[in-house]
Amino acid sequence: MVSRAVNKAYSDIANLKVQGATNIAITALTSLKSVSNKAELMQAISLLSKARPTEPLMRNGMRYVILNAGHGSEFKKSVALWANGYIEMCKKAMREITEIGSKRIVNGSKIMTHCHSTAVTSILKRAKDQYKDIEVYACEARPKYQGRITAQELADHKIRVNYIIDSAKGTFINNMALVLVGADALTAEGNIVNKIGTSELALMAKEADVEFGVAAELLKFDPITSEGRLEPIEERESSEVWERPPKGVKVRNPAFDVTKCELIDFVITEAGIISPHNILSTAIEKYPWLRR
Ligand code: RI2
């Protein structure tokens, strides 16, 4: 039996009430503080891992707690301590990415983004706080329209923002100085996994000679990819795309895709701005416990 807090975290994450890799990891780790013994912890971890399969930031955090939590009567306290430690690590990484990334934003530039990434919106808001005049193009990210969260958040911060349907990105890409997206997973090959449509945007950016950057915590590095395994790609309910399709029509709904490292100019991380080729070495250097 898992606790009510773990069950709630599971359903909030699975139903996208909580979205974005960073928010997902923090919600999952917070719920772990409710477990009182090892068996409960393992059950909670197994359930939460199923909520969103493409979320190494959450999985790494749960592994961090298993690796470090002590035994015996102080177990609950120890889980809470390490879970808090990981949450703090995520928040610190986000603060660092925000500072480092904001310096990379050029005054007067037009920037396109896709879906909703806390890392990207934090960077853009910080750039605005530094009096940089920027204009953002936010792709809507069908079928769940997380681009609206981005558009609203930036507009609330008095940033000029244009909201466009996903298929309009080619119309505007030539006017952009930069495409900046978040990531759900970073891989050993230097690829990134992000909201479906990101790889297409990267190809368009390459063709239009527009810089393509990614903002993501190195804690999103997935250690399974250093063993030659592929990052699992979540496929969600077809009803999100078409509730009642005609008979004979199969609706597919992959949530993420892989953007190859050749298409990525730079990755903004808590350890600085790096080439995608250096994701593996930089992640392991910064967090040696991520090595399997
Ligand atoms: P942060 C989101 O997925 C998007 O793909 C976004 O780029 C990524 O998580 C990272 O988000 P979803 O949860 O960690 O909306 O930067 O499916 O917030």
Side-chain angles (χ1 to χ4, degrees):
M1 266 290 279
V2 294
S3 69
R4 195 184 291 179
V6 170
N7 260 322
K8 177 155 183 355
Y10 169 82
S11 59
D12 285 354
I13 293 169
N15 303 333
L16 301 188
K17 198 166 164 201
V18 174
Q19 71 68 235
T22 308
N23 296 330
I24 289 169
I26 291 174
T27 301
L29 270 283
T30 303
S31 78
L32 287 189
K33 292 192 254 173
S34 64
V35 309
S36 35
N37 56 52
K38 185 84 187 248
E40 250 186 60
L41 175 68
M42 300 316 283
Q43 276 173 345
I45 287 177
S46 136
L47 180 69
L48 290 164
S49 308
K50 289 184 203 124
R52 302 289 308 270
T54 317
E55 296 301 345
L57 184 67
M58 167 172 69
R59 281 201 299 276
N60 287 337
M62 299 194 294
R63 183 162 161 261
Y64 182 77
V65 172
I66 297 175
L67 285 175
N68 292 300
H71 301 280
S73 56
E74 299 288 273
F75 185 77
K76 192 178 166 90
K77 250 194 206 158
S78 177
V79 167
L81 186 82
W82 290 100
N84 278 337
Y86 188 77
I87 292 169
E88 276 316 307
M89 230 189 283
C90 291
K91 290 184 176 168
K92 181 169 179 277
M94 188 57 77
R95 285 194 299 273
E96 288 163 343
I97 287 175
T98 304
E99 273 317 303
I100 295 167
S102 66
K103 297 198 177 84
R104 191 69 164 72
I105 302 297
V106 176
N107 188 22
S109 60
K110 289 191 169 77
I111 299 154
M112 189 175 284
T113 190
H114 185 52
C115 196
H116 174 258
S117 153
T118 322
V120 171
T121 54
S122 305
I123 287 171
L124 298 176
K125 289 191 290 185
R126 184 80 188 102
K128 172 76 182 176
D129 294 343
Q130 294 162 353
Y131 303 103
K132 288 178 186 166
D133 174 31
I134 53 173
E135 183 172 352
V136 176
Y137 281 67
C139 299
E140 69 179 349
R142 243 187 76 78
K144 296 301 284 183
Y145 305 103
Q146 292 98 324
R148 292 182 184 175
I149 307 173
T150 301
Q152 171 87 65
E153 197 179 322
L154 298 182
D156 287 348
H157 208 78
K158 307 276 182 284
I159 293 174
R160 276 186 292 154
V161 57
N162 305 270
Y163 178 73
I164 60 170
I165 61 171
D166 296 320
S167 37
K169 55 188 179 284
T171 302
F172 298 104
I173 193 80
N174 284 298
N175 304 328
M176 299 299 123
L178 172 69
V179 173
L180 187 63
V181 296
D184 292 83
L186 306 176
T187 78
E189 302 88 0
N191 303 331
I192 66 118
V193 182
N194 194 48
K195 182 58 55 192
I196 193 81
T198 302
S199 64
E200 191 191 351
L201 183 52
L203 279 166
M204 279 184 184
K206 175 65 98 197
E207 211 249 342
D209 210 13
V210 171
E211 267 198 309
F212 185 91
V214 177
E217 305 92 307
L218 290 166
L219 289 164
K220 288 177 177 168
F221 170 70
D222 194 340
I224 66 162
T225 61
S226 52
E227 297 167 347
R229 286 161 64 194
L230 295 178
E231 181 63 29
I233 302 286
E234 174 185 8
E235 180 148 359
R236 297 184 59 81
E237 285 289 314
S238 59
S239 58
E240 286 182 352
V241 177
W242 196 350
E243 223 169 302
R244 275 181 293 278
K247 206 166 163 255
V249 175
K250 186 173 179 190
V251 177
R252 302 293 306 269
N253 186 18
F256 302 103
D257 64 19
V258 178
T259 302
K260 298 277 184 198
C261 78
E262 302 83 54
L263 299 174
I264 302 167
D265 292 303
F266 60 88
V267 185
I268 301 166
T269 76
E270 62 274 42
I273 299 181
I274 63 170
S275 154
H277 298 280
N278 295 334
I279 286 174
L280 170 63
S281 57
T282 319
I284 297 296
E285 192 186 325
K286 176 94 182 151
Y287 306 110
W289 56 271
L290 279 178
R291 194 191 292 277
R292 300 271 280 197

